[in-house]
Amino acid sequence: MRVLVTGGAGYIGSHTVLTLLEQGHDVEVVDNLVNGKAEAVRRVGELAGRDVPLHEVDLTDADATDAVLARGFDAVIHFAALKAVGESTQKPLEYYANNMGSTFTLMDAMRRHDCRTIVFSSSATVYGAKAPVPYVEDYEPLDSSSTYGQTKVMTERILTDVAAADPAWRVALLRYFNPVGAHPSGRIGEDPQGIPNNLVPFIAQVAVGRRDRLSVFGGDYPTADGTAERDYIHVQDVAEGHVVALDAIVGGDAGVRVWNLGSGQGTSVLEMIHAFERASGREIPYEVVDRRPGDLPAFWADPTKAEQELGWRTSRTVDDMCRDTWTWQSQNPQGYDA
Ligand code: UD1
C-alpha cells in the first residue's frame, strides 16, 4: 500500500514509518518539523535501506496539503498534532486551531483525492476522570481534563460523523496508553523539546546526566507504593498495532473501528524508576513532591478487543522499554541535535 504518515518525523510516527517499510509498504511523510526532526526520517530510511520522502508542510495549509495528497495514497496514518498537555491548557486557541484545523484540511484533501482510509492517533486520555479502570472501548461519554485531550475527543467525533455520512470511509481510532521505549538499534527514539513533560524521557535525561533529579508527582495516591500507576507500552508494540489496524480496516467492512493499544498492566512511578536503574546501571535521584494537577491515580487498558479482533497484544516488557530507551539516550545524549 502507499501510505502517507502525518507527523512521521515525530516519536511514534517515525517508529511506525519504519515498521510499515519493513512490512513492504511504500511510505511518505508529511511533517511541519515543529516537534519532529528531519534527521529521524533520514535515520528511518537508513534502517530500512531506502529513502523516505519527507514533505515539510503544515497541514493547516490547505493548498500545500492538497499538493501532497495529489501524489496518490491508499491510506493515511494521522499523528501530526500538538501534544503538550500542560501547554494545551495555557494555549487552547492554538491547540484547537492546529489540531482540529489540520484534521479538517487533511480530510478534505483526502476526499478530493479519493483516499478514504485513515488510522488516527488517539489517546487513553479520552476516557476522562470518571471511566472505570480498566478502560474499555465502548465507554461513554468521552471526556478529557486537558485541551489536548479534548482535541482527541473531538477528532474521534468528527471522523465518526464523516464515516456516518459517507460509507466509503474506513477509520481506525487507536487509543494509546503511555508509549515509551525506542527502536532497539538506538538510532531513533523520543527527543522532547526543552524540559520533558513525560516520565520516561525525564528519567532518561537524569540517567544520562542532563538533569539532576526527578520530581515524583505525588506519593499519597491510593496505590501499593503511593505513586501513580500507568499502562506503559513499548513504542515498537504501538507501531506494530498501527500496521495490523490498517490491515484490518482495509480488509474488513467500511466504517469506524476503535481499539485500545495498551498492555493491560499498571506500573507505578517508583517501579519505573527502579526498572530504569536496572537497565542503565545508574542511580536515578528523585524526590517526592506534590501531585501534578489533572493527573489520575491509576489507569490501564482492557486490551481484549485488540487481541480478539486484530490478533495484536503487547510483547515487550517494562524492562525492554527501559533497556531500549537507555540505548537511545546513551547513544544520543542530546537527541537528534548532537
Ligand atoms: C499524559 C497525558 C496523555 C498523553 C501522555 C503522553 C494526561 C491525563 N495524560 O499522560 O494524554 O497521551 O501524557 O504525552 O494528561 N511523572 C512524575 N514526574 C515527572 C513526569 C511524570 O512523577 O517528571 C508521573 C506523572 O505524575 C504520572 C506518570 O509519571 O503519574 C506518567 O506521566 P506522563 O509520562 O506525563 O504521562 P501521563 O500523564 O500518564
Side-chain angles (χ1 to χ4, degrees):
M1 260 186 282
R2 266 181 63 69
V3 184
L4 178 67
V5 179
T6 81
Y11 170 47
I12 305 173
S14 57
H15 288 78
T16 303
V17 171
L18 180 56
T19 303
L20 286 163
L21 291 168
E22 286 170 350
Q23 310 253 337
H25 296 290
D26 189 11
V27 186
E28 299 194 12
V29 168
V30 56
D31 200 300
N32 66 4
L33 302 183
V34 165
N35 284 312
K37 297 282 167 62
E39 176 65 6
V41 179
R42 197 193 65 72
R43 292 191 189 182
V44 165
E46 198 178 83
L47 288 166
R50 51 207 262 222
D51 283 345
V52 183
L54 166 62
H55 307 285
E56 188 178 340
V57 162
D58 191 308
L59 293 177
T60 59
D61 179 340
D63 291 341
T65 301
D66 190 82
V68 174
L69 269 295
R71 296 169 62 80
F73 295 96
D74 303 305
V76 172
I77 302 185
H78 182 33
F79 293 101
L82 295 174
K83 61 168 186 179
V85 174
E87 180 187 67
S88 76
T89 302
Q90 307 299 314
K91 298 183 176 175
L93 280 180
E94 285 82 352
Y95 269 67
Y96 284 124
N98 182 83
N99 291 4
M100 308 318 299
S102 57
T103 303
F104 295 142
T105 317
L106 173 69
M107 293 185 72
D108 196 29
M110 287 176 68
R111 186 169 59 172
R112 250 194 318 279
H113 296 287
D114 206 21
C115 173
R116 291 183 176 77
T117 300
I118 185 167
V119 177
F120 174 61
S121 165
S122 189
S123 166
T125 194
V126 301
Y127 290 107
K130 297 193 184 119
V133 176
Y135 293 163
V136 181
E137 286 88 342
D138 61 5
Y139 176 80
E140 285 188 61
L142 300 181
D143 189 18
S144 181
S145 57
S146 71
T147 300
Y148 157 79
Q150 288 297 345
T151 70
K152 297 295 182 191
V153 173
M154 289 180 194
T155 305
E156 285 202 6
R157 180 59 197 255
I158 289 161
L159 286 161
T160 304
D161 288 355
V162 168
D166 176 355
W169 281 87
R170 294 166 186 274
V171 176
L173 308 174
L174 300 184
R175 297 176 180 160
Y176 327 144
F177 283 68
N178 287 60
V180 301
H183 188 266
S185 66
R187 295 294 291 155
I188 56 172
E190 187 167 12
D191 183 17
Q193 302 214 340
I195 301 171
N197 296 309
N198 299 118
L199 178 66
V200 171
F202 203 107
I203 292 178
Q205 291 194 6
V206 172
V208 84
R210 268 173 81 176
R211 318 234 165 241
D212 291 341
R213 66 180 54 237
L214 172 78
S215 295
V216 173
F217 298 139
D220 58 351
Y221 283 110
T223 57
D225 65 22
T227 65
E229 292 176 6
R230 294 290 181 274
D231 184 340
Y232 297 94
I233 167 172
H234 198 296
V235 66
Q236 291 288 115
D237 281 327
V238 178
E240 289 166 12
H242 285 73
V243 181
V244 294
L246 178 59
D247 288 343
I249 60 170
V250 169
D253 295 337
V256 181
R257 314 283 300 275
V258 50
W259 293 289
N260 286 337
L261 295 186
S263 72
Q265 286 186 351
T267 300
S268 75
V269 175
L270 290 183
E271 285 169 337
M272 189 53 94
I273 293 171
H274 296 317
F276 208 92
E277 288 181 328
R278 286 194 301 275
S280 64
R282 307 259 176 117
E283 190 196 342
I284 309 293
Y286 67 85
E287 63 180 328
V288 179
V289 301
D290 287 348
R291 294 179 181 191
R292 183 170 66 178
D295 275 352
L296 298 174
F299 63 84
W300 51 88
D302 180 336
T304 312
K305 190 164 183 271
E307 186 163 357
Q308 285 177 348
E309 297 180 3
L310 300 173
W312 172 96
R313 57 187 294 182
T314 58
S315 65
R316 291 141 178 114
T317 64
V318 165
D319 287 329
D320 296 333
M321 299 172 208
C322 293
R323 180 199 62 218
D324 294 336
T325 301
W326 180 239
T327 304
W328 153 254
Q329 186 72 65
S330 54
Q331 289 180 15
N332 306 269
Q334 304 297 324
Y336 291 110
D337 292 335

